[in-house]
Amino acid sequence: SSAASDVYKRQALLLSNGEDGEKVMSVGVAHANETWHEITGSYDDELTIGDDGKALFKVHGGKLAVWVRKKD
């Protein structure tokens, strides 16, 4: 597989049909302490997956947010 497909094997997708939102989601403990970023351009922020495999993911109102592991 290509390097790009390896980076995006795990994704967190949020879709809002209303106001800005956020949701704690689990991507699995195998991803603990990884840095993730949003790739549609909605957010410049990065987040770190917790020891429990969970993180708080955000989405702007009326938008799609796609969060993926940041390439090393």
Side-chain angles (χ1 to χ4, degrees):
S1 65
S2 72
S5 65
D6 290 342
V7 171
Y8 302 132
K9 282 185 179 178
R10 174 97 32 185
Q11 303 174 6
L13 306 173
L14 286 90
L15 179 63
S16 171
N17 64 355
E19 298 179 3
D20 290 358
E22 58 187 32
K23 184 168 182 70
V24 174
M25 296 193 298
S26 176
V27 295
V29 293
H31 299 282
N33 302 308
E34 290 180 351
T35 300
W36 285 41
H37 66 125
E38 202 282 325
I39 61 171
T40 69
S42 292
Y43 288 93
D44 292 329
D45 301 355
E46 296 178 348
L47 59 83
T48 301
I49 305 300
D51 291 337
D52 59 358
K54 297 178 182 178
L56 179 66
F57 296 92
K58 298 179 180 181
V59 63
H60 287 300
K63 301 286 184 179
L64 169 70
V66 181
W67 294 88
V68 297
R69 181 176 57 89
K70 187 173 180 183
K71 188 174 179 181
D72 297 329

